[in-house]
Amino acid sequence: MTDASTARKTTATSATDSSVLDTMTHADLPQLEAYYDRWSATYEDDLLSKGYDAPVRAAEILDQHGVDRARPVLDAGCGTGLTGLHLKKRGFSAVIGADYSTASLDKAREKGCYADLKRLDMNQTLGFPDNHFAAAQCIGALTYVKNMAGLMREFQRVVCPGGIVSFTHRLDLYTESFKTLLKKIEDEGLWTSIHRSEPQPYIPGHQDFGDDKAIIYDVFRVNAPA
């Protein structure tokens, strides 16, 4: 695995495609923004050509769990809008996309599948009212979150009781501390786990994303206050 110092060196040069994606795991926010801004033009073609299907599965999950298609849905870490596009195909009409990469947000806007798009840092308070969304999802973006406890609690806060929080996380980063965090929120009565997948292929055609970097899909239902 390439460490953070290599990630900085690579990002500072000409890395603009998926070939160095794995080196970005420990990059900081400005490095990530620069990397994804540069990659935004070919991001979708690069990933789809390597078998990336998480956006399709993510849209299926919200549909399968009965999320109201007319109510607001948060697509956190939306990137260029692949998941939003598949949500639109399934009839979701009030999707709010959020990402830190301005160029990626511009690409997402071109798709016409979002009711609104916002630039935000997922390590900070999300800036939406309590109980605002019928669902929140974060697909392929938790890798870069430093304040994981804060983000999970923010997802629970902004989703209404009975709503869905759905996300993917890489198997190699699905640590005991991450499991403990999810369980702690559940033990507090704030949400209930309703699905956790077996490890699934992430980017099967990418040389750096083998079985150890598969992803797990988690789905939680937000509970009403006790």
Side-chain angles (χ1 to χ4, degrees):
M1 165 129 0
T2 307
D3 64 19
S5 61
T6 304
R8 294 188 185 98
K9 181 178 180 182
T10 304
T11 309
T13 57
S14 60
T16 60
D17 61 28
S18 64
S19 63
V20 295
L21 179 59
D22 189 39
T23 70
M24 301 306 297
T25 299
H26 303 292
D28 61 24
L29 199 57
Q31 292 162 356
L32 288 169
E33 180 185 18
Y35 175 72
Y36 279 97
D37 278 356
R38 287 195 300 267
W39 190 17
S40 62
T42 62
Y43 174 87
E44 294 177 17
D45 289 342
D46 288 347
L47 288 188
L48 295 177
S49 68
K50 293 176 173 59
Y52 179 62
D53 67 352
V56 176
R57 294 187 179 208
E60 289 175 352
I61 286 170
L62 294 196
D63 221 1
Q64 290 166 356
H65 289 284
V67 176
D68 187 339
R69 296 183 183 92
R71 294 195 58 201
V73 169
L74 175 62
D75 184 11
C78 68
T80 60
L82 280 174
T83 304
L85 183 62
H86 288 285
L87 287 170
K88 182 180 180 181
K89 289 179 179 178
R90 288 180 172 268
F92 289 89
S93 59
V95 183
I96 309 299
D99 203 276
Y100 198 75
S101 165
T102 302
S104 295
L105 288 170
D106 289 343
K107 288 289 183 181
R109 188 171 292 108
E110 292 172 2
K111 289 181 172 60
C113 55
Y114 291 99
D116 196 10
L117 287 159
K118 296 185 179 295
R119 184 173 182 265
L120 59 75
D121 175 5
M122 290 194 293
N123 293 296
Q124 306 297 324
T125 302
L126 294 181
F128 298 106
D130 293 358
N131 308 324
H132 184 67
F133 295 100
Q137 63 176 9
C138 185
I139 307 303
L142 288 185
T143 299
Y144 311 119
V145 174
K146 312 301 184 188
N147 182 17
M148 194 69 79
L151 180 61
M152 293 295 111
R153 291 184 180 279
E154 277 293 278
F155 284 158
Q156 182 275 327
R157 179 186 68 80
V158 301
V159 172
C160 66
I164 293 295
V165 176
S166 174
F167 51 83
T168 65
H169 202 25
R170 276 173 33 185
L171 184 61
D172 60 313
L173 302 175
Y174 208 102
T175 61
E176 288 303 316
S177 63
F178 182 66
K179 295 176 187 177
T180 298
L181 166 63
L182 301 182
K183 185 65 164 54
K184 185 174 190 295
I185 298 172
E186 185 166 21
D187 289 346
E188 292 172 6
L190 299 177
W191 65 19
T192 300
S193 175
I194 57 176
H195 175 71
R196 177 167 295 157
S197 75
E198 294 298 319
Q200 302 294 315
Y202 182 22
I203 312 174
H206 195 296
Q207 62 181 4
D208 294 327
F209 286 80
D211 292 343
D212 65 323
K213 293 187 180 67
I215 53 174
I216 291 174
Y217 292 79
D218 268 297
V219 185
F220 291 86
R221 191 175 299 280
V222 174
N223 297 329

